[in-house]
Amino acid sequence: MTSPYGLTEEQEMLRDSVRDFADVEIAPIASDIDRREELPLALLKKMAELNLLGLEVPEAYGGAGADMVSYALAIEEVTRASASIGLTMAAHNGLVVSPILMFGNEPQKKKYLPPLARGEVLGCFCLTEPQAGSDAGGTQTTAVKRGDKWIVNGRKIYITNGGYAKTAVLTAVTTPGAGTKGISSFIADCDQPGFVIGTTEKKKLGMRASNTVEILFQDLEVPAENLLGNEGDGFKNFMRTLDGGRIGIGAMGVGIGQAALDAAVKYSRERKQFGKPIGEFQAIAHMVANIATDVEAARLLVLHAARAKDAGLPHTVPASMCKLFASEVAMRASNSAIQIHGGYGFTVDYPVERYFRDAKLLEIGEGTSEIQRLVISRELLKLG
């Protein structure tokens, strides 16, 4: 039977295998790791064995050599079970492995990609700063060339995986006064002196099992050969990195939306009021229909963006569209799922409250919904 999403047999097999893994290994612990705010490192090792930490990495570098569609499908299934684990996986793959693949030279790829792809090390992406959030061009971290090293000083915040990472990709100003053209990117080894893990964020609204920390660079020495891409291209290259990363965030939105739909359908069948399942009441039935329609539309947008990237076509707008729509779908779906559960939905006895808490980050991370609308409209209107 032909897939309704136009998937290849290989893509369907990968999706199904990840779904089975997520149902058996992730879903049963999702609530517990959220409550304890604990990143399960043993689980990440199991994910690495399935190539989930190196899906797009070519086999020559130890990865699975999969396409973007396969990656999006995998992110959706992992996130459906736990958004925290989905975020950990997305940050590692989309924001660390991806820029090294796209902009790294051969020695850098040979050194860093195999251990990242095999899950021997975790990666983190150091972009956001106290004064550089939506305005990533406002980076204040600096890198000064001294001999055969760059000396990096600055502060990065809200860094996913930062407390456990061994490899970091970071931005820093190398030419002061040159604006975004003065920003370069680097690969850093996190176990070097000067790479300091600061405050760990606790009691976040959602994604509580993912690791989020502050990173301080205190005279961090980065070898000259670890310049990632050309000097001055860091901002431009990271914007390209975020295009792919936003497809991953869109897939996460679909995953949360699907989880909310599954929970809403199950509860609507089982919960009885006035002598019949609440799903027989039109108000509830329409809410379920709206969630299902939203999730399906979001999934198609994500697949469209992923296919554009796979085909080597411009995908900035499709990526922003799928990230924007799917993140807002995740919020609407989880909100409706809570409403369907009534008072029970407001308690930790059911997972829908976690879906709601987790979904909010998707409207913020890797470019807020407002930034996505700006990206889309600027491209369509050709303004600024």
Side-chain angles (χ1 to χ4, degrees), residues 243-312:
D243 284 344
R246 286 166 180 163
I247 298 174
I249 297 298
M252 288 185 66
V254 177
I256 292 177
Q258 185 64 53
L261 175 62
D262 293 344
V265 168
K266 183 175 185 294
Y267 191 80
S268 297
R269 288 171 173 168
E270 295 174 351
R271 174 67 168 168
K272 292 185 178 181
Q273 290 288 275
F274 305 102
K276 59 183 179 180
I278 62 172
E280 293 187 21
F281 293 100
Q282 189 178 67
I284 301 297
H286 284 186
M287 291 172 73
V288 170
N290 287 340
I291 298 172
T293 303
D294 263 356
V295 171
E296 192 72 358
R299 181 177 289 117
L300 292 172
L301 268 177
V302 169
L303 291 173
H304 169 66
R307 288 187 172 114
K309 185 175 186 297
D310 283 336

Side-chain angles (χ1 to χ4, degrees), residues 61 104-111:
Y61 300 114
N105 55 40
E106 194 60 22
Q108 290 171 343
K109 291 178 181 179
K110 286 182 177 179
K111 178 179 179 180

